[in-house]
Amino acid sequence: MGLPLRVIDTGVREGRANIAFDAALVELHAEGAIPDTLRFLRFSPTALVGRHQAIATELRLDYCRTHGVGLARRITGGGAIYFDEGQLGWELVYSRRRLPAADLAAHTRRICTAVARGLSQAFGIEASFRPRNDIEVAGRKLCGTGGFFDGDTVFYQGTVLIDVAPERVMACLNVPRAKLEKRQLDRPEHRIVTLYELLGRAPAAGEVEQAVVDGLAGDLVLEPWRAGAGPLEEARAQAIYAQEIGTDAFVMGGDVPAGSDVGAASLTGAGGTLGAHVRLEGPAGARHIREVLLTGDFFVTPPRLVLDLEAALRGVEADRAGAAVDAFFTNTAYDLLSMSPADFRTVVENAIASL
């Protein structure tokens, strides 16, 4: 017998409402109020940024607003994506104790490999996991994924591209030229592929759902059972939407610090991009950090890790900033999928040195 897994489908929802439901699942699972769950979801046209991204940098906001594309911010890290009814979202919320793995990278590999196998078997394609967090066919992205730990609760989500115009996807996003050159792509839309392109038809959402369920159930030894979303989840999602997730303050994020007293730096590697903006104050020789903003498409656990680091750096003497970053990670339980503590130290020190 496998481990029981509730399967729900919440249909098509507006972007921020979907993200609020994500947060509700995490909270209620951590409280022991809901069982391990696989949720399927779809969006009305929405451009989403990762939890730590600067939205004005990652999205073409004028295009989105002109074309009626909603704006939302995920509770997971990672990069910006476009979502509409032609894509199927899937997400797992489950106990680390029931499906143990060494770290977030191990959970990522295990889940993505299972989903890739389910899609391959259902549709006769050769989908495979590509670190750090993609499912690809012949080097082109069919699914993007990401997640985090929150105590014993794991939240992991992904997107299957069924039938969406790649040009529409990329029109909403600011894709760095360096990212395209690394993949040897002359046009951004060549980076992704849909099931429609691979099969010559667009499978029904139910077909894709079953492929994901079968892949996860087989590889992770699960016993899926179908149900509907409960009133407790709907009520919690509505409350979270009103208090945070649905607000412009959350979605648009804080303003990126600017001015002659602000230093900026970034680094880009195999793990993605990390940036820092640091505002200093005080007289020469005794400057300290007034505020710091860390941005990028990285994945961290727990979800508040970056916010806590930013708070820990406020008031720190400028020449002790690197040591303060080291001390924070030494005294904090964390997991980093794509960056290291040394990367955070480097980008903060470089931002200060740029002044």
Side-chain angles (χ1 to χ4, degrees):
M1 289 289 292
L3 296 172
L5 179 71
R6 181 182 63 145
V7 180
I8 63 175
D9 184 338
T10 55
V12 179
R13 300 192 181 198
E14 177 269 332
R16 299 183 191 191
N18 263 327
I19 305 304
F21 201 97
D22 293 347
L25 287 178
V26 173
E27 287 189 6
L28 291 169
H29 186 273
E31 294 168 9
I34 63 171
D36 292 351
T37 297
L38 169 62
R39 176 196 180 204
F40 291 106
L41 62 153
R42 282 170 288 165
F43 286 69
S44 58
T46 307
L48 302 95
V49 289
R51 180 65 184 88
H52 308 293
Q53 291 189 300
I55 193 168
T57 301
E58 303 299 330
L59 300 181
R60 295 175 176 170
L61 295 177
D62 288 345
Y63 178 91
C64 292
R65 288 166 176 151
T66 299
H67 292 82
V69 176
L71 304 174
R73 181 178 295 275
R74 298 194 306 277
I75 59 173
T76 53
I81 60 173
Y82 169 81
F83 219 139
D84 64 16
E85 295 92 334
Q87 300 164 65
L88 178 70
W90 54 268
E91 54 197 30
L92 282 163
V93 56
Y94 64 95
S95 169
R96 296 174 70 180
R97 289 172 295 178
R98 299 185 72 199
L99 289 172
D103 52 24
L104 186 57
H107 281 270
T108 296
R109 177 176 293 278
R110 191 176 184 187
I111 292 168
C112 290
T113 299
V115 172
R117 183 171 291 116
L119 294 171
S120 296
Q121 292 176 347
F123 300 114
I125 59 178
E126 294 185 10
S128 60
F129 167 59
R130 179 185 177 116
R132 56 189 169 131
N133 60 317
D134 289 342
I135 296 172
E136 296 187 346
V137 177
R140 299 173 68 191
K141 182 191 290 190
L142 178 63
C143 306
T145 75
F148 58 76
F149 301 148
D150 188 359
D152 179 57
T153 296
V154 181
F155 180 74
Y156 204 88
Q157 61 185 175
T159 305
V160 182
L161 301 178
I162 299 176
D163 183 14
V164 60
E167 295 83 1
R168 171 81 160 171
V169 175
M170 293 303 177
C172 297
L173 312 181
N174 275 324
V175 181
R177 175 55 54 182
K179 192 170 186 177
L180 300 177
E181 291 174 349
K182 183 175 72 173
R183 296 296 181 90
Q184 298 181 327
L185 300 172
D186 58 346
R187 297 178 63 188
E189 54 268 28
H190 291 169
R191 171 69 183 98
I192 62 177
V193 67
T194 65
L195 287 176
Y196 179 85
E197 181 179 345
L198 292 169
L199 306 178
R201 67 180 183 91
E207 286 185 77
V208 184
E209 286 188 14
Q210 194 59 52
V212 173
V213 169
D214 290 346
L216 291 169
D219 279 29
L220 304 185
V221 194
L222 303 172
E223 290 290 338
W225 54 281
R226 291 272 181 174
L232 185 61
E233 292 158 317
E234 297 289 5
R236 183 68 64 89
Q238 290 174 13
I240 292 171
Y241 180 95
Q243 295 163 7
E244 181 182 29
I245 301 296
T247 67
D248 285 344
F250 176 80
V251 172
M252 304 309 293
D255 294 333
V256 174
S260 59
D261 58 345
V262 176
S266 65
L267 59 87
T268 301
T273 300
L274 171 63
H277 290 78
V278 180
R279 170 172 277 124
L280 301 181
E281 62 182 0
R287 296 182 303 170
H288 59 271
I289 295 174
R290 177 178 172 181
E291 63 177 317
V292 56
L293 178 69
L294 299 167
T295 62
D297 57 359
F298 48 84
F299 292 92
V300 301
T301 286
R304 286 193 55 84
L305 183 75
V306 170
L307 296 178
D308 290 343
L309 174 56
E310 291 171 346
L313 290 175
R314 294 187 193 111
V316 171
E317 296 175 9
D319 59 0
R320 293 187 53 80
V325 173
D326 289 344
F328 173 84
F329 282 106
T330 296
N331 296 303
T332 303
Y334 68 90
D335 192 0
L336 300 172
L337 178 59
S338 54
M339 293 290 173
S340 70
D343 292 327
F344 284 88
R345 174 171 183 155
T346 297
V347 77
V348 169
E349 289 184 326
N350 287 349
I352 292 171
S354 71
L355 288 166

